[in-house]
Amino acid sequence: MAVAGETTLEHTPTWVVAAVCSVIVAISLGVERLLHYTGKYLKKKGQKPLFEALLKIKEELMLLGFISLLLTVFQDRIATICISEKASKEWLPCKLEEDAASTTSHFQAFFSSPGTSRRLLAEASSSTTSYCATKGMVPLLSATALHHLHIFIFVLAVTHVIICVLTILFGGAKIRQWRIWEDAIQKSESNPEDELKKFTHVQDHAFIRNRFLGIGKDLALLGWVHSFFKQFYASVTRSDYITLRLGFIKTHCRGNPKFNFHKYMIRALEADFKRVVGISWYLWIFVVVFLSLNVAGWHAYFYIAFIPCVLLLAVGTKLEHVINQLAHEVAEKHVAIEGDLVVQPSDNHFWFHRPKIVLYLIHIILFQNAFELAFFFFILVQYKFKSCIMGPIGYIIPRLVIGAFVQFLCSYSTLPLYAIVTQMGSSFKKAIFDEHIQEGITVWAQHARKNQMLKKAANASSHTNNNSQAGTKEAEMVLVDKDKEEAEGSQTRN
């Protein structure tokens, strides 16, 4: 559908069409080659989890391409959907001016400031306008507003991927600083547990002194307060690392006291990254819901900014509290310990006894924070800082401060806490094995399943054959009995 006053492809110079296509194709191929060589580099370095995360990013790009295709193909049909003039004036992100009140629809107001409303309507298709005008209605969504919506979805997805990557990079850098503690244990000539064996009294141990604080069950609230503030400073100390490492090894790797716990944490974190970088279906529902809540005067996006902040503080507090609980279990049961001070990992310390819930919450936190930042930058570039959608400056600055705070705290505190504390569950992850061992176990499991299926099929076939043979013998016996009866009957007649 041609827009009034614009030149169609029929009267556009061919060299212009060819030049534009060349630029678009060149950029697309450049991005594709960049992702391809990045994947080859990750495979060469043996970074299989990060390579799988890269594949997840490609899936998101493919989804964006499909969304773009749908919006492009159906934009004319969407523009022919008409709504009542009354409906077009409800739930607007910008208050209508008197002279534009009769001609501005819902989503046109969403993606345009009041000063651009008349311009957008002037660019609308004359046939579409007349089609809705004949019915006494207005178009549901203009082509320009639809195009802006398309851009926003793209900006949101790209921002989410970038934030996830930055979080993993900065958080991973923080976790790699703990390698010094791991190397010191690995290089020590004595048993790595000797450092803990020298303590006989529980309260003499640095881990107990920092985590127990003499707070019992009657003062549980003070324990939560301590956990809340602990996430902002020294969230994981050397004594924490050594004690949690020993508890993991005693529970899951008792026969390997020299197990490289740090390397295992890095592999497990990289494996979880591929889940965080994607945009799940429930996150898209979040986008739709909060796009509809951007109503003038509600300041919805200001209050939405507190959601990832509150969730992040709750997650950090819970992870710190898990470490405190491990210390409490030891300190409340023993006054003195002869030998090793060992904590007991358990799923009971986590919400609903499921450590994976923490990963889902971090996924939601990063996405919501990306949504806030993406919406801000989209409005800033598309409609400038003074746009009515942007809102008063008193609401803008706190949103940006909260977004930066969430990003910093998640990278340098919450993510490292997640990496080590979630290993304190009742089970371990497959990252505990090296990559070649994982592949060997996978192949073995596939062969085992295949052999089991073949065995079941052979048993079923054997059972069928046995039934068939039994049926044949039974039929033969019936025929023999029948022949005997006929012979006896003929003798009786004779």
Short mmCIF file of all heavy atoms in Angstrom, two decimals, residues 185-244:
data_model
loop_
_atom_site.label_atom_id
_atom_site.label_comp_id
_atom_site.label_asym_id
_atom_site.label_seq_id
_atom_site.Cartn_x
_atom_site.Cartn_y
_atom_site.Cartn_z
N ILE A 185 45.66 -23.89 47.73
CA ILE A 185 45.31 -25.21 48.25
C ILE A 185 45.94 -26.31 47.40
O ILE A 185 46.47 -27.29 47.93
CB ILE A 185 43.77 -25.37 48.27
CG1 ILE A 185 43.15 -24.36 49.23
CG2 ILE A 185 43.39 -26.78 48.68
CD1 ILE A 185 41.63 -24.35 49.22
N GLN A 186 45.89 -26.15 46.07
CA GLN A 186 46.43 -27.17 45.19
C GLN A 186 47.94 -27.31 45.31
O GLN A 186 48.49 -28.41 45.17
CB GLN A 186 46.06 -26.84 43.73
CG GLN A 186 44.57 -26.82 43.44
CD GLN A 186 43.93 -28.19 43.54
OE1 GLN A 186 44.59 -29.21 43.41
NE2 GLN A 186 42.62 -28.22 43.79
N LYS A 187 48.64 -26.19 45.57
CA LYS A 187 50.10 -26.21 45.62
C LYS A 187 50.64 -26.60 47.00
O LYS A 187 51.84 -26.86 47.14
CB LYS A 187 50.66 -24.84 45.24
CG LYS A 187 50.42 -24.48 43.78
CD LYS A 187 50.96 -23.10 43.47
CE LYS A 187 50.71 -22.73 42.01
NZ LYS A 187 51.20 -21.36 41.70
N SER A 188 49.77 -26.58 47.99
CA SER A 188 50.24 -26.90 49.34
C SER A 188 50.68 -28.36 49.39
O SER A 188 50.02 -29.25 48.85
CB SER A 188 49.14 -26.64 50.37
OG SER A 188 48.02 -27.47 50.09
N GLU A 189 51.82 -28.62 50.02
CA GLU A 189 52.35 -29.98 50.11
C GLU A 189 51.50 -30.83 51.05
O GLU A 189 51.38 -32.04 50.87
CB GLU A 189 53.80 -29.94 50.60
CG GLU A 189 54.74 -29.24 49.62
CD GLU A 189 56.16 -29.24 50.11
OE1 GLU A 189 56.39 -29.78 51.22
OE2 GLU A 189 57.04 -28.72 49.42
N SER A 190 50.94 -30.20 52.09
CA SER A 190 50.14 -30.94 53.04
C SER A 190 48.71 -31.08 52.51
O SER A 190 48.35 -30.53 51.47
CB SER A 190 50.10 -30.20 54.39
OG SER A 190 49.58 -28.90 54.21
N ASN A 191 47.94 -31.82 53.25
CA ASN A 191 46.55 -32.01 52.86
C ASN A 191 45.82 -30.68 52.92
O ASN A 191 45.99 -29.92 53.88
CB ASN A 191 45.89 -33.00 53.83
CG ASN A 191 44.53 -33.47 53.31
OD1 ASN A 191 43.63 -32.67 53.13
ND2 ASN A 191 44.41 -34.77 53.11
N PRO A 192 45.01 -30.34 51.91
CA PRO A 192 44.32 -29.05 51.92
C PRO A 192 43.35 -28.90 53.08
O PRO A 192 42.91 -27.79 53.36
CB PRO A 192 43.55 -29.07 50.58
CG PRO A 192 43.43 -30.50 50.22
CD PRO A 192 44.67 -31.15 50.72
N GLU A 193 43.07 -29.97 53.80
CA GLU A 193 42.16 -29.86 54.93
C GLU A 193 42.91 -29.51 56.22
O GLU A 193 42.27 -29.27 57.25
CB GLU A 193 41.39 -31.18 55.11
CG GLU A 193 40.60 -31.58 53.87
CD GLU A 193 40.09 -33.02 53.97
OE1 GLU A 193 40.28 -33.61 55.06
OE2 GLU A 193 39.53 -33.52 53.01
N ASP A 194 44.24 -29.50 56.16
CA ASP A 194 45.02 -29.27 57.38
C ASP A 194 44.75 -27.89 57.97
O ASP A 194 44.80 -27.70 59.19
CB ASP A 194 46.51 -29.41 57.10
CG ASP A 194 46.89 -30.88 56.87
OD1 ASP A 194 46.06 -31.74 57.24
OD2 ASP A 194 47.97 -31.14 56.33
N GLU A 195 44.47 -26.92 57.09
CA GLU A 195 44.21 -25.58 57.59
C GLU A 195 42.97 -25.53 58.47
O GLU A 195 42.86 -24.72 59.38
CB GLU A 195 44.05 -24.62 56.40
CG GLU A 195 43.88 -23.17 56.83
CD GLU A 195 43.85 -22.24 55.64
OE1 GLU A 195 44.15 -22.69 54.52
OE2 GLU A 195 43.53 -21.06 55.84
N LEU A 196 42.05 -26.41 58.20
CA LEU A 196 40.84 -26.46 59.00
C LEU A 196 40.99 -27.40 60.20
O LEU A 196 40.33 -27.22 61.22
CB LEU A 196 39.65 -26.91 58.13
CG LEU A 196 39.35 -25.99 56.94
CD1 LEU A 196 38.23 -26.61 56.11
CD2 LEU A 196 38.94 -24.61 57.41
N LYS A 197 41.87 -28.40 60.08
CA LYS A 197 42.03 -29.39 61.15
C LYS A 197 42.63 -28.79 62.41
O LYS A 197 42.42 -29.30 63.50
CB LYS A 197 42.89 -30.55 60.66
CG LYS A 197 42.17 -31.48 59.70
CD LYS A 197 43.07 -32.65 59.32
CE LYS A 197 42.35 -33.62 58.40
NZ LYS A 197 43.21 -34.75 58.03
N LYS A 198 43.39 -27.72 62.29
CA LYS A 198 44.07 -27.17 63.45
C LYS A 198 43.10 -26.51 64.43
O LYS A 198 43.47 -26.20 65.56
CB LYS A 198 45.13 -26.17 63.01
CG LYS A 198 44.56 -24.92 62.34
CD LYS A 198 45.68 -24.01 61.87
CE LYS A 198 45.14 -22.76 61.20
NZ LYS A 198 46.21 -21.86 60.72
N PHE A 199 41.86 -26.27 64.00
CA PHE A 199 40.88 -25.66 64.88
C PHE A 199 40.15 -26.76 65.65
O PHE A 199 39.62 -27.68 65.07
CB PHE A 199 39.86 -24.83 64.09
CG PHE A 199 40.47 -23.64 63.41
CD1 PHE A 199 40.77 -23.68 62.06
CD2 PHE A 199 40.74 -22.49 64.11
CE1 PHE A 199 41.33 -22.60 61.43
CE2 PHE A 199 41.30 -21.40 63.49
CZ PHE A 199 41.60 -21.45 62.14
N THR A 200 40.16 -26.60 66.98
CA THR A 200 39.43 -27.55 67.82
C THR A 200 38.13 -26.95 68.34
O THR A 200 37.13 -27.65 68.48
CB THR A 200 40.30 -28.00 69.00
OG1 THR A 200 40.70 -26.84 69.73
CG2 THR A 200 41.52 -28.75 68.51
N HIS A 201 38.13 -25.67 68.63
CA HIS A 201 36.93 -24.99 69.09
C HIS A 201 36.23 -24.33 67.90
O HIS A 201 36.86 -23.67 67.08
CB HIS A 201 37.26 -23.93 70.15
CG HIS A 201 37.84 -24.52 71.40
ND1 HIS A 201 37.05 -25.14 72.35
CD2 HIS A 201 39.12 -24.59 71.85
CE1 HIS A 201 37.82 -25.57 73.34
NE2 HIS A 201 39.09 -25.25 73.07
N VAL A 202 34.94 -24.51 67.83
CA VAL A 202 34.18 -24.00 66.70
C VAL A 202 34.31 -22.48 66.57
O VAL A 202 34.49 -21.94 65.47
CB VAL A 202 32.69 -24.40 66.84
CG1 VAL A 202 31.84 -23.71 65.78
CG2 VAL A 202 32.55 -25.90 66.73
N GLN A 203 34.23 -21.78 67.71
CA GLN A 203 34.25 -20.32 67.66
C GLN A 203 35.61 -19.77 67.24
O GLN A 203 35.72 -18.58 66.93
CB GLN A 203 33.89 -19.76 69.05
CG GLN A 203 32.48 -20.09 69.50
CD GLN A 203 31.42 -19.42 68.64
OE1 GLN A 203 31.70 -18.43 67.99
NE2 GLN A 203 30.21 -19.97 68.65
N ASP A 204 36.65 -20.61 67.23
CA ASP A 204 37.97 -20.16 66.80
C ASP A 204 38.09 -20.08 65.28
O ASP A 204 39.05 -19.50 64.77
CB ASP A 204 39.06 -21.09 67.34
CG ASP A 204 39.22 -20.95 68.84
OD1 ASP A 204 38.83 -19.89 69.37
OD2 ASP A 204 39.71 -21.90 69.48
N HIS A 205 37.17 -20.66 64.60
CA HIS A 205 37.24 -20.68 63.15
C HIS A 205 36.71 -19.37 62.57
O HIS A 205 35.66 -18.87 62.98
CB HIS A 205 36.44 -21.86 62.60
CG HIS A 205 36.79 -22.20 61.19
ND1 HIS A 205 36.43 -21.43 60.11
CD2 HIS A 205 37.50 -23.25 60.67
CE1 HIS A 205 36.86 -21.97 59.00
NE2 HIS A 205 37.52 -23.08 59.32
N ALA A 206 37.44 -18.81 61.60
CA ALA A 206 37.04 -17.52 61.01
C ALA A 206 35.68 -17.61 60.35
O ALA A 206 34.88 -16.66 60.38
CB ALA A 206 38.09 -17.07 59.99
N PHE A 207 35.37 -18.75 59.75
CA PHE A 207 34.08 -18.92 59.09
C PHE A 207 32.93 -18.81 60.09
O PHE A 207 31.91 -18.17 59.83
CB PHE A 207 34.04 -20.29 58.40
CG PHE A 207 32.73 -20.62 57.76
CD1 PHE A 207 32.33 -19.98 56.59
CD2 PHE A 207 31.88 -21.56 58.33
CE1 PHE A 207 31.11 -20.28 56.00
CE2 PHE A 207 30.66 -21.87 57.75
CZ PHE A 207 30.28 -21.22 56.58
N ILE A 208 33.08 -19.42 61.27
CA ILE A 208 32.05 -19.36 62.30
C ILE A 208 31.97 -17.96 62.90
O ILE A 208 30.89 -17.42 63.16
CB ILE A 208 32.31 -20.40 63.39
CG1 ILE A 208 32.34 -21.81 62.78
CG2 ILE A 208 31.27 -20.31 64.49
CD1 ILE A 208 31.03 -22.22 62.12
N ARG A 209 33.12 -17.33 63.15
CA ARG A 209 33.12 -15.98 63.75
C ARG A 209 32.40 -14.98 62.85
O ARG A 209 31.67 -14.11 63.33
CB ARG A 209 34.56 -15.52 63.98
CG ARG A 209 35.27 -16.22 65.12
CD ARG A 209 36.45 -15.38 65.61
NE ARG A 209 37.31 -14.98 64.50
CZ ARG A 209 38.37 -15.69 64.09
NH1 ARG A 209 38.67 -16.84 64.70
NH2 ARG A 209 39.11 -15.26 63.10
N ASN A 210 32.61 -15.10 61.54
CA ASN A 210 32.02 -14.13 60.62
C ASN A 210 30.55 -14.41 60.30
O ASN A 210 29.82 -13.50 59.90
CB ASN A 210 32.81 -14.10 59.31
CG ASN A 210 34.23 -13.62 59.50
OD1 ASN A 210 34.50 -12.85 60.42
ND2 ASN A 210 35.13 -14.06 58.64
N ARG A 211 30.16 -15.68 60.46
CA ARG A 211 28.82 -16.05 59.99
C ARG A 211 27.83 -16.38 61.11
O ARG A 211 26.64 -16.18 60.94
CB ARG A 211 28.93 -17.28 59.07
CG ARG A 211 29.65 -16.99 57.76
CD ARG A 211 28.81 -16.13 56.87
NE ARG A 211 29.47 -15.82 55.61
CZ ARG A 211 28.89 -15.11 54.62
NH1 ARG A 211 27.66 -14.65 54.77
NH2 ARG A 211 29.55 -14.87 53.52
N PHE A 212 28.32 -16.84 62.25
CA PHE A 212 27.39 -17.26 63.30
C PHE A 212 26.96 -16.09 64.18
O PHE A 212 25.77 -15.84 64.35
CB PHE A 212 28.03 -18.37 64.14
CG PHE A 212 27.14 -18.86 65.25
CD1 PHE A 212 25.87 -19.34 64.98
CD2 PHE A 212 27.57 -18.83 66.57
CE1 PHE A 212 25.04 -19.79 66.00
CE2 PHE A 212 26.76 -19.29 67.59
CZ PHE A 212 25.49 -19.77 67.30
N LEU A 213 27.89 -15.37 64.74
CA LEU A 213 27.63 -14.18 65.54
C LEU A 213 26.77 -14.45 66.78
O LEU A 213 26.19 -13.54 67.35
CB LEU A 213 26.93 -13.10 64.68
CG LEU A 213 27.70 -12.63 63.43
CD1 LEU A 213 26.85 -11.63 62.67
CD2 LEU A 213 29.02 -12.02 63.81
N GLY A 214 26.63 -15.71 67.16
CA GLY A 214 25.85 -16.03 68.35
C GLY A 214 24.36 -15.81 68.19
O GLY A 214 23.63 -15.75 69.19
N ILE A 215 23.89 -15.66 66.96
CA ILE A 215 22.45 -15.41 66.73
C ILE A 215 21.75 -16.75 66.59
O ILE A 215 22.06 -17.53 65.69
CB ILE A 215 22.25 -14.57 65.46
CG1 ILE A 215 22.95 -13.21 65.62
CG2 ILE A 215 20.77 -14.37 65.17
CD1 ILE A 215 22.92 -12.36 64.37
N GLY A 216 20.82 -17.01 67.47
CA GLY A 216 20.09 -18.27 67.42
C GLY A 216 18.76 -18.13 66.72
O GLY A 216 18.46 -17.14 66.07
N LYS A 217 17.92 -19.13 66.91
CA LYS A 217 16.62 -19.15 66.23
C LYS A 217 15.70 -18.06 66.76
O LYS A 217 14.83 -17.57 66.05
CB LYS A 217 15.97 -20.53 66.41
CG LYS A 217 16.71 -21.65 65.72
CD LYS A 217 16.01 -22.98 65.89
CE LYS A 217 16.76 -24.09 65.19
NZ LYS A 217 16.09 -25.40 65.38
N ASP A 218 15.86 -17.67 68.03
CA ASP A 218 15.00 -16.65 68.60
C ASP A 218 15.26 -15.27 68.00
O ASP A 218 14.41 -14.38 68.09
CB ASP A 218 15.19 -16.60 70.12
CG ASP A 218 14.77 -17.90 70.79
OD1 ASP A 218 13.92 -18.60 70.20
OD2 ASP A 218 15.29 -18.20 71.88
N LEU A 219 16.43 -15.08 67.45
CA LEU A 219 16.78 -13.79 66.84
C LEU A 219 17.04 -13.98 65.34
O LEU A 219 18.01 -13.47 64.80
CB LEU A 219 18.02 -13.20 67.53
CG LEU A 219 17.87 -12.92 69.03
CD1 LEU A 219 19.19 -12.46 69.62
CD2 LEU A 219 16.79 -11.87 69.28
N ALA A 220 16.16 -14.72 64.71
CA ALA A 220 16.34 -15.02 63.29
C ALA A 220 16.29 -13.76 62.44
O ALA A 220 16.97 -13.66 61.41
CB ALA A 220 15.26 -16.01 62.83
N LEU A 221 15.49 -12.77 62.87
CA LEU A 221 15.38 -11.53 62.10
C LEU A 221 16.72 -10.82 62.00
O LEU A 221 17.08 -10.28 60.93
CB LEU A 221 14.34 -10.62 62.74
CG LEU A 221 14.11 -9.27 62.04
CD1 LEU A 221 13.63 -9.49 60.61
CD2 LEU A 221 13.11 -8.42 62.82
N LEU A 222 17.49 -10.83 63.09
CA LEU A 222 18.82 -10.21 63.05
C LEU A 222 19.74 -10.94 62.08
O LEU A 222 20.61 -10.32 61.45
CB LEU A 222 19.43 -10.20 64.46
CG LEU A 222 18.74 -9.31 65.50
CD1 LEU A 222 19.45 -9.42 66.84
CD2 LEU A 222 18.71 -7.86 65.01
N GLY A 223 19.56 -12.25 61.96
CA GLY A 223 20.35 -13.01 61.00
C GLY A 223 20.05 -12.59 59.57
O GLY A 223 20.97 -12.47 58.75
N TRP A 224 18.78 -12.34 59.28
CA TRP A 224 18.41 -11.86 57.93
C TRP A 224 18.96 -10.46 57.68
O TRP A 224 19.39 -10.15 56.56
CB TRP A 224 16.90 -11.88 57.78
CG TRP A 224 16.33 -13.24 57.53
CD1 TRP A 224 15.71 -14.05 58.44
CD2 TRP A 224 16.33 -13.95 56.30
NE1 TRP A 224 15.33 -15.23 57.85
CE2 TRP A 224 15.69 -15.20 56.53
CE3 TRP A 224 16.80 -13.67 55.02
CZ2 TRP A 224 15.52 -16.15 55.53
CZ3 TRP A 224 16.63 -14.62 54.01
CH2 TRP A 224 16.00 -15.83 54.27
N VAL A 225 18.93 -9.61 58.70
CA VAL A 225 19.47 -8.25 58.55
C VAL A 225 20.97 -8.32 58.27
O VAL A 225 21.50 -7.60 57.41
CB VAL A 225 19.19 -7.41 59.82
CG1 VAL A 225 19.91 -6.06 59.74
CG2 VAL A 225 17.69 -7.20 59.99
N HIS A 226 21.67 -9.19 59.00
CA HIS A 226 23.11 -9.36 58.77
C HIS A 226 23.37 -9.86 57.35
O HIS A 226 24.30 -9.40 56.67
CB HIS A 226 23.68 -10.32 59.79
CG HIS A 226 25.11 -10.69 59.55
ND1 HIS A 226 25.49 -11.89 58.98
CD2 HIS A 226 26.26 -10.00 59.76
CE1 HIS A 226 26.80 -11.93 58.87
NE2 HIS A 226 27.30 -10.80 59.35
N SER A 227 22.54 -10.79 56.87
CA SER A 227 22.69 -11.32 55.52
C SER A 227 22.44 -10.24 54.48
O SER A 227 23.10 -10.20 53.43
CB SER A 227 21.73 -12.49 55.30
OG SER A 227 21.98 -13.53 56.21
N PHE A 228 21.48 -9.37 54.76
CA PHE A 228 21.16 -8.29 53.81
C PHE A 228 22.36 -7.37 53.61
O PHE A 228 22.72 -7.04 52.47
CB PHE A 228 19.95 -7.50 54.32
CG PHE A 228 19.62 -6.29 53.49
CD1 PHE A 228 18.90 -6.42 52.32
CD2 PHE A 228 20.03 -5.03 53.89
CE1 PHE A 228 18.60 -5.31 51.54
CE2 PHE A 228 19.73 -3.91 53.12
CZ PHE A 228 19.00 -4.05 51.95
N PHE A 229 22.99 -6.94 54.69
CA PHE A 229 24.10 -5.99 54.57
C PHE A 229 25.40 -6.69 54.14
O PHE A 229 26.29 -6.04 53.58
CB PHE A 229 24.31 -5.25 55.90
CG PHE A 229 23.24 -4.25 56.20
CD1 PHE A 229 22.25 -4.53 57.13
CD2 PHE A 229 23.21 -3.03 55.54
CE1 PHE A 229 21.24 -3.62 57.40
CE2 PHE A 229 22.21 -2.10 55.81
CZ PHE A 229 21.22 -2.39 56.74
N LYS A 230 25.50 -7.99 54.40
CA LYS A 230 26.73 -8.71 54.06
C LYS A 230 26.95 -8.77 52.55
O LYS A 230 28.11 -8.85 52.10
CB LYS A 230 26.66 -10.14 54.61
CG LYS A 230 27.98 -10.90 54.55
CD LYS A 230 28.97 -10.33 55.53
CE LYS A 230 30.20 -11.22 55.67
NZ LYS A 230 30.97 -11.35 54.44
N GLN A 231 25.87 -8.70 51.75
CA GLN A 231 26.04 -8.79 50.31
C GLN A 231 26.71 -7.55 49.71
O GLN A 231 27.16 -7.60 48.57
CB GLN A 231 24.68 -8.99 49.64
CG GLN A 231 23.70 -7.84 49.81
CD GLN A 231 22.36 -8.10 49.17
OE1 GLN A 231 22.27 -8.49 48.02
NE2 GLN A 231 21.30 -7.90 49.94
N PHE A 232 26.79 -6.45 50.47
CA PHE A 232 27.39 -5.23 49.95
C PHE A 232 28.89 -5.13 50.24
O PHE A 232 29.57 -4.29 49.66
CB PHE A 232 26.68 -4.00 50.54
CG PHE A 232 25.21 -3.94 50.24
CD1 PHE A 232 24.29 -4.13 51.24
CD2 PHE A 232 24.76 -3.72 48.96
CE1 PHE A 232 22.93 -4.08 50.99
CE2 PHE A 232 23.41 -3.68 48.67
CZ PHE A 232 22.48 -3.85 49.69
N TYR A 233 29.40 -5.97 51.14
CA TYR A 233 30.83 -5.91 51.44
C TYR A 233 31.33 -7.32 51.74
O TYR A 233 30.70 -8.07 52.48
CB TYR A 233 31.09 -5.00 52.66
CG TYR A 233 30.53 -5.53 53.96
CD1 TYR A 233 31.31 -6.27 54.84
CD2 TYR A 233 29.21 -5.29 54.30
CE1 TYR A 233 30.80 -6.76 56.03
CE2 TYR A 233 28.68 -5.77 55.49
CZ TYR A 233 29.48 -6.51 56.35
OH TYR A 233 28.97 -7.00 57.53
N ALA A 234 32.43 -7.70 51.16
CA ALA A 234 33.06 -9.01 51.42
C ALA A 234 32.02 -10.11 51.39
O ALA A 234 31.89 -10.89 52.34
CB ALA A 234 33.80 -8.99 52.74
N SER A 235 31.27 -10.20 50.29
CA SER A 235 30.19 -11.18 50.22
C SER A 235 30.72 -12.62 50.33
O SER A 235 30.05 -13.49 50.88
CB SER A 235 29.41 -11.01 48.92
OG SER A 235 30.27 -11.11 47.80
N VAL A 236 31.91 -12.87 49.79
CA VAL A 236 32.55 -14.18 49.90
C VAL A 236 34.00 -13.96 50.32
O VAL A 236 34.78 -13.35 49.59
CB VAL A 236 32.50 -14.95 48.57
CG1 VAL A 236 33.22 -16.30 48.71
CG2 VAL A 236 31.06 -15.18 48.12
N THR A 237 34.37 -14.47 51.50
CA THR A 237 35.72 -14.32 52.01
C THR A 237 36.52 -15.60 51.77
O THR A 237 35.97 -16.62 51.32
CB THR A 237 35.70 -13.98 53.51
OG1 THR A 237 35.08 -15.07 54.21
CG2 THR A 237 34.91 -12.71 53.77
N ARG A 238 37.79 -15.54 52.10
CA ARG A 238 38.65 -16.71 51.92
C ARG A 238 38.19 -17.87 52.79
O ARG A 238 38.16 -19.03 52.34
CB ARG A 238 40.10 -16.34 52.26
CG ARG A 238 41.11 -17.44 51.98
CD ARG A 238 42.53 -16.92 52.19
NE ARG A 238 43.51 -17.94 51.84
CZ ARG A 238 43.99 -18.84 52.69
NH1 ARG A 238 43.57 -18.85 53.95
NH2 ARG A 238 44.89 -19.72 52.30
N SER A 239 37.81 -17.59 54.03
CA SER A 239 37.34 -18.67 54.91
C SER A 239 36.03 -19.27 54.39
O SER A 239 35.80 -20.48 54.50
CB SER A 239 37.14 -18.14 56.33
OG SER A 239 36.16 -17.12 56.36
N ASP A 240 35.17 -18.42 53.78
CA ASP A 240 33.95 -18.93 53.17
C ASP A 240 34.27 -19.90 52.05
O ASP A 240 33.70 -21.00 51.97
CB ASP A 240 33.09 -17.78 52.62
CG ASP A 240 32.57 -16.86 53.70
OD1 ASP A 240 32.50 -17.31 54.86
OD2 ASP A 240 32.26 -15.70 53.38
N TYR A 241 35.19 -19.48 51.19
CA TYR A 241 35.54 -20.31 50.03
C TYR A 241 36.12 -21.66 50.47
O TYR A 241 35.71 -22.71 49.97
CB TYR A 241 36.54 -19.57 49.14
CG TYR A 241 36.95 -20.35 47.92
CD1 TYR A 241 36.18 -20.31 46.76
CD2 TYR A 241 38.10 -21.14 47.92
CE1 TYR A 241 36.54 -21.04 45.63
CE2 TYR A 241 38.47 -21.86 46.81
CZ TYR A 241 37.69 -21.80 45.67
OH TYR A 241 38.06 -22.53 44.56
N ILE A 242 37.07 -21.62 51.41
CA ILE A 242 37.72 -22.86 51.85
C ILE A 242 36.71 -23.81 52.51
O ILE A 242 36.70 -25.01 52.25
CB ILE A 242 38.88 -22.54 52.82
CG1 ILE A 242 39.98 -21.77 52.08
CG2 ILE A 242 39.44 -23.81 53.44
CD1 ILE A 242 41.11 -21.30 52.97
N THR A 243 35.84 -23.25 53.34
CA THR A 243 34.88 -24.10 54.06
C THR A 243 33.84 -24.68 53.12
O THR A 243 33.51 -25.88 53.20
CB THR A 243 34.19 -23.28 55.17
OG1 THR A 243 35.18 -22.69 56.01
CG2 THR A 243 33.28 -24.17 56.00
N LEU A 244 33.28 -23.86 52.24
CA LEU A 244 32.27 -24.35 51.30
C LEU A 244 32.88 -25.35 50.33
O LEU A 244 32.24 -26.34 49.95
CB LEU A 244 31.64 -23.18 50.54
CG LEU A 244 30.87 -22.16 51.39
CD1 LEU A 244 30.28 -21.07 50.50
CD2 LEU A 244 29.79 -22.82 52.21
#
